[in-house]
Amino acid sequence: MLAHTKRRLFPDEDKSTAYAVADTQFAMAEWLPGQPVDAAVRDRLAPFNHVRIGSGYPDLVGVRDLESDLLAVERLGDEPPLIAIEAKGETSGGVDTQRGILQAYDRLHEANAAYLAAPAAAISETDRTLARELNVGVLGVDAAGSVTALEVPRVVGNRTTTEATALRFQASAQGVADASFGLNHPKNYLGYPLAHYAAGDTETLLSEYKVVSAVDSARQGAAFLGLIEEGVGVEGSASVELTSLGEEVVRFARARYGSVEAALEEFENWYRSGKRFADLAPAWSQLARRVLFDYEATELLVRELQCMHDDGFAEPSLVAVVEYLHELHPSFTVELFIRGTDGVRSRVLTEAGELQSAALEDGSVYHSPTVFQLKAMLYHAGILTQRGAEPSRLEPLEDIWALREPV
């Protein structure tokens, strides 16, 4: 039933910035003793995380602009709504729909919309009346998997202040759910807005000035760092616009070199250089540092690494960092560091959402754009002492995450 609900509210074909996780209790091989869960159901529910919303942990939580037949107001402000779902199925005592409605209502302390999902035949008029009074949506699921909105809630103001921010982070342009950074040097992303602004074809200019050959990865990373915005142009063609941060990169280049073309010529001097960017081009690395600090994950990492340093952990390993961060920001830490595919989170997290430390010693469980590309960029910008490593070569107990300039 929960899998059908996720398919209805968060369909695979939605290519927008939508993201949802099921609670870690559903990642287990058996939900009841002797009753194994079909692998296809677990795959449909994945990825998993233990996200606290209100005073508890909803069965399903995500971020998406819902259709008008599911939500009375499609959008509130600039962000898509945070949605929490409580599912109630058949048990020996029946279907506890009223408890599900009250649990969903509790989630409205932080969610923008909350639903009960239950077998359609078990939902009574009394249930629907209670749900309407509490502004809780009701989703009826039939045996064939069809999901019908029996009660549609109104969206309420965004009061998300805790770990639910991890879901918003993932669903934003700066999330890391499917892809983010494919390149490990900040110059590749700084060069993109310059080539876009310059006269001529962006891809051609990036190649001619030896900035980067992997244009798609450069564009994608520039978008994740907030340098550009990607959209749909005339007749469905892709469009790229500079953000205010991207425009600041252009201003920096023009002020220093007179034109973006002259600035791009400087990039040829850095081609294939293995030297730390902070030493090779100090002014540019300071610009990269400014851009990287606008990325939400960077600020969190640096702040907590400083706290670890103050607590006597000057050179913590990757495992130590993840364990430390998980105590303070559990959902965010899982979304940032741990892969959401191939059953990885089932290995790393217990049913209650706690870390299984032994699994963290395996480099393959980590998200490459964080432990390799992002860490390498933080190294080049002069923030961290060591580069990143690909998960296939990662030794988590020996991989050091230390600030180059702790205060």
Side-chain angles (χ1 to χ4, degrees):
M1 184 177 63
L2 190 60
H4 293 316
T5 300
K6 184 180 181 185
R7 184 181 297 110
R8 176 68 178 88
L9 270 61
F10 303 95
D12 290 335
E13 59 269 20
D14 184 356
K15 302 302 181 182
S16 68
T17 52
Y19 184 71
V21 295
D23 190 66
T24 47
Q25 64 177 305
F26 299 107
M28 303 300 106
E30 294 183 352
W31 293 346
L32 294 174
Q35 297 183 27
V37 180
D38 191 305
V41 174
R42 287 206 310 275
D43 289 344
R44 178 69 194 121
L45 292 175
F48 302 96
N49 204 342
H50 200 48
V51 184
R52 187 179 181 89
I53 307 289
S55 65
Y57 300 86
D59 296 325
L60 182 67
V61 59
V63 177
R64 179 174 177 255
D65 280 321
L66 295 181
E67 296 81 6
S68 58
D69 62 330
L70 290 169
L71 197 60
V73 177
E74 293 185 14
R75 194 177 182 110
L76 182 70
D78 295 330
E79 294 183 323
L82 179 71
I83 305 153
I85 297 98
E86 292 292 344
K88 295 297 177 185
E90 293 279 357
T91 67
S92 58
V95 182
D96 198 348
T97 51
Q98 291 199 7
R99 182 166 181 264
I101 292 169
L102 294 175
Q103 288 177 322
Y105 174 68
D106 172 77
R107 310 305 176 236
L108 288 176
H109 289 298
E110 294 182 13
N112 300 120
Y115 296 83
L116 162 72
I123 298 169
S124 67
E125 286 299 323
T126 301
D127 294 331
R128 296 180 61 170
T129 299
L130 176 62
R132 282 197 300 272
E133 291 176 351
L134 297 180
N135 190 31
V136 168
V138 177
L139 303 172
V141 184
D142 66 20
S146 177
V147 179
T148 303
L150 302 177
E151 296 295 336
V152 178
R154 303 180 307 279
V155 68
V156 297
N158 176 17
R159 293 167 284 175
T160 302
T161 57
T162 65
E163 277 300 286
T165 56
L167 275 298
R168 289 203 178 281
F169 173 73
Q170 273 292 30
S172 73
Q174 292 191 334
V176 294
D178 298 314
S180 50
F181 303 118
L183 305 169
N184 57 13
H185 202 299
K187 75 174 182 64
N188 298 320
Y189 305 123
L190 294 176
Y192 195 92
L194 299 183
H196 176 75
Y197 182 84
D201 177 69
T202 301
E203 182 172 353
T204 300
L205 291 171
L206 289 171
S207 176
E208 286 181 354
Y209 288 103
K210 295 184 178 180
V211 178
V212 61
S213 58
V215 176
D216 289 343
S217 292
R219 182 180 63 253
Q220 179 177 280
F224 272 81
L225 287 173
L227 297 171
I228 62 172
E229 287 184 349
E230 297 183 278
V232 179
V234 180
E235 297 181 353
S237 61
S239 68
V240 172
E241 298 290 337
L242 295 182
T243 63
S244 58
L245 189 60
E247 290 174 347
E248 192 60 27
V249 173
V250 171
R251 293 188 186 97
F252 173 88
R254 293 180 67 183
R256 193 170 182 84
Y257 298 93
S259 69
V260 292
E261 289 80 8
L264 285 168
E265 291 179 4
E266 180 75 3
F267 279 69
E268 293 189 44
N269 297 325
W270 308 328
Y271 185 64
R272 294 188 182 280
S273 173
K275 192 174 182 180
R276 186 200 288 261
F277 200 43
D279 301 324
L280 184 66
W284 280 94
S285 77
Q286 286 299 313
L287 178 62
R289 193 179 185 119
R290 158 72 179 87
V291 170
L292 284 167
F293 260 95
D294 209 55
Y295 182 61
E296 186 176 355
T298 300
E299 182 180 356
L300 181 144
L301 283 169
V302 171
R303 182 176 70 246
E304 300 303 346
L305 287 175
Q306 179 65 53
C307 290
M308 293 188 76
H309 181 275
D310 295 342
D311 291 341
F313 300 97
E315 293 190 328
S317 70
L318 173 59
V319 172
V321 169
V322 171
E323 290 179 333
Y324 183 91
L325 288 176
H326 191 264
E327 288 293 323
L328 302 169
H329 317 280
S331 299
F332 198 101
T333 302
V334 170
E335 297 299 333
L336 185 63
F337 281 96
I338 308 302
R339 291 169 50 211
T341 56
D342 301 328
V344 166
R345 293 190 183 175
S346 300
R347 293 165 50 200
V348 173
L349 298 171
T350 67
E351 182 177 351
E354 297 299 320
L355 290 176
Q356 304 195 76
S357 297
L360 296 177
E361 298 176 14
D362 179 1
S364 68
V365 306
Y366 292 95
H367 192 61
S368 178
T370 298
V371 299
F372 181 31
Q373 284 88 356
L374 176 59
K375 189 185 180 190
M377 289 193 291
L378 295 176
Y379 163 82
H380 278 295
I383 296 172
L384 297 184
T385 61
Q386 291 189 8
R387 301 172 186 265
E390 295 179 3
S392 61
R393 297 188 296 108
L394 185 64
E395 296 292 342
L397 290 172
E398 300 174 9
D399 188 57
I400 302 300
W401 288 65
L403 294 177
R404 189 187 188 198
E405 299 168 337
V407 296

